[in-house]
Structures are given as structure tokens and as C-alpha cells.
Amino acid sequence: MTDVTHGDPNCIFCKIAAGQIPSKKVYQDEQVYAFHDIHPWAPVHFLLIPKLHIPSMAQVGPEHAGLLGHMMALVPRLAAQEGCRPYPEGGFRIVCNTGGDGGQEVHHLHIHVIGGPRPWLKG
Ligand code: 5GP
Ligand code: ZN
């Protein structure tokens, strides 16, 4: 597995961020891309990824504090945009599976943002 790079040719999420594989876009800027999960667990389920190829949270260090802060600070706005109801009745869940024990399947850092009225398929 590659480490932090500006694009891994074998990474599906690098290809999605570059527009080489189609996805349903939620948001993008210079640093990040967000798109609908292909197998949603709930009425709202999208993934927020850095454009930089960071394999997982396990590779995150102090040099990524700005990027991670940017991602976390975007979540409330994007969650509301995608239909999560207002806090406290509504809200959302953020999940960041990391490594095998963490249940990570795609090795490009991503934050799941999950919400909408229950029941959900999972969780
Ligand atoms: P993980 O277990 O790594 O946290 O979850 C990866 C997520 O990526 C899964 O929820 C899966 O449905 C989603 N996913 C995998 N491949 C694709 C794809 O090609 N397009 C989209 N939109 N989502 C994907
Ligand atoms: Zn990648």
C-alpha cells in the first residue's frame, strides 16, 4: 500500500476525486471532495475525502491538522445541505473506519457522514 501521495493510480477514491470514475458530487474545493456512498446505510450517506491520497487516519500527523480541521468544519454545512435535520432532534453520525480492525475497506482516508430520519439500514 502506498503512503501519503498526490494521487495513487490504483486508488478508487483518487480516481473519483479526479473525475475518472463517476460519482454523485456533494461538494468540492481545492482540498476535498464529497460524494454519495454507493451503498447508503441511511437516507443521507456521503463520504468526505481529502484530494491528497492519505491511506487512513493512521497516517495522519500534525502536518494534516489544517486539512482535517477543514474537513470537520465542513460537515455541519454539508450534512444540512444533504437533508440531515437540525440538531438536536436530527443530527448525523460521522464514522472514520481505520485499518482492518477498524473495518476499513477503501484505503484512502474518508469520513462517512450518515443521517436522516430513522430507521436506517445499518447503525
Ligand atoms: P470503508 O469500510 O472503507 O469505511 O467504506 C468504504 C465505503 O465506500 C463503503 O461504504 C462503500 O459503499 C463505498 N464505496 C466503495 N466503492 C465506491 C464507489 O466506487 N463509489 C462510491 N460512491 N462509493 C463507494
Ligand atoms: Zn487515494
Side-chain angles (χ1 to χ4, degrees):
M1 193 189 310
T2 54
D3 214 336
V4 178
T5 64
H6 284 275
D8 176 345
N10 300 313
C11 172
I12 188 166
F13 284 1
C14 280
K15 288 182 186 166
I16 285 176
Q20 291 160 2
I21 291 177
S23 64
K24 283 205 217 164
K25 183 172 93 174
V26 166
Y27 173 83
Q28 83 166 322
D29 64 28
E30 280 186 5
Q31 297 183 84
V32 304
Y33 186 71
F35 56 104
H36 291 275
D37 196 291
I38 205 163
H39 294 127
W41 305 358
V44 177
H45 187 176
F46 64 89
L47 305 173
L48 177 58
I49 68 172
K51 289 187 172 172
L52 189 68
H53 178 85
I54 303 173
S56 79
M57 273 301 290
Q59 287 75 31
V60 167
E63 67 275 27
H64 304 119
L67 173 61
L68 270 286
H70 177 57
M71 291 173 70
M72 292 303 257
L74 273 168
V75 167
R77 181 181 132 201
L78 300 184
Q81 173 192 304
E82 294 307 307
C84 291
R85 297 173 299 152
Y87 178 94
E89 292 79 13
F92 48 82
R93 176 177 295 174
I94 55 178
V95 173
C96 187
N97 298 325
T98 304
D101 287 346
Q104 184 180 7
E105 289 178 357
V106 178
H107 290 269
H108 179 127
L109 176 64
H110 52 279
I111 298 173
H112 295 255
V113 182
I114 303 159
R118 288 178 177 270
W120 294 356
L121 209 58
K122 268 205 308 195

